[in-house]
Amino acid sequence: MSRLDSHIRRLEAQRACLDTAIALIGGAVGPVLELGLGNGRTYDHLRQNMPGRAIFVFERILAAHPTSIPDPPFLILGDFRETLPGALQRLGAPAVLAHADFGSGNAAATAAVAEWLGLSLPMLLAPGAVVACDQTLVIPGAAALSLPAGVAEGRYHLWQMPG
Ligand code: SAM
């Protein structure tokens, strides 16, 4: 498989998992977390498919496309490990969906964030909340969900907190 093929499959898997997560939460009340804005493509997908939903975005360095930058109240700049622990008050309610896409070429740094995030995310999540992530997380209490049809095991990840 070429690198182009691999990239396309990753994006297809990401979109399929986001669409599954959006369908799973349905009309559940609560905000959404986008961890890693990057270019803002997945943020844009989330906001287009969940109109009216509060989406709080966490990002270390703002470098998104100008059309995909959240309004200031919904953009929290800094390292997740510093910004997430005190975020519940700002969110106003536990999140019903969290999407995290933070993998980089630095495998050790990515693994360190993944280990921290898996343990720390539950304090921001509502019962039944869905988590989609590009990395394998160990989230205490969460159940791994089946991936959408066509998404290869390990290409993307979905979990759900107990209801
Ligand atoms: N999903 C995005 C999109 O569709 O454009 C791409 C996200 S990009 C692959 C990963 C982003 O995560 C980068 O912008 C990076 O700065 C951010 N990131 C990685 N580790 C982080 C951390 N510990 N704290 C905050 N942001 C982080």
Side-chain angles (χ1 to χ4, degrees), residues 8-18 148 150-152 155-156:
I8 289 168
R9 286 191 191 187
R10 178 186 186 277
L11 293 180
E12 286 175 342
Q14 185 177 53
R15 183 181 57 188
C17 287
L18 288 181
V151 177
R155 199 174 278 279
Y156 226 76

Side-chain angles (χ1 to χ4, degrees), residues 10-11 14 34-43 58-63 76 78-81 83 99-104 109 113 134 156:
R10 178 186 186 277
L11 293 180
Q14 185 177 53
E34 170 77 333
L35 309 181
L37 177 65
N39 181 277
R41 292 188 184 100
T42 50
Y43 166 67
F58 295 77
E59 171 57 58
R60 187 166 40 201
I61 303 159
L62 185 57
I76 298 103
D79 192 295
F80 303 145
R81 290 165 288 192
T83 55
H99 172 234
D101 178 19
F102 56 89
S104 72
V113 174
D134 68 323
Y156 226 76

Side-chain angles (χ1 to χ4, degrees), residues 13 57 66-67 74 87 93 99 103 112 128 131 140 147 154 157 161 163:
V57 177
T67 61
F74 297 96
H99 172 234
V131 178
L147 295 170
H157 308 274
M161 299 302 289

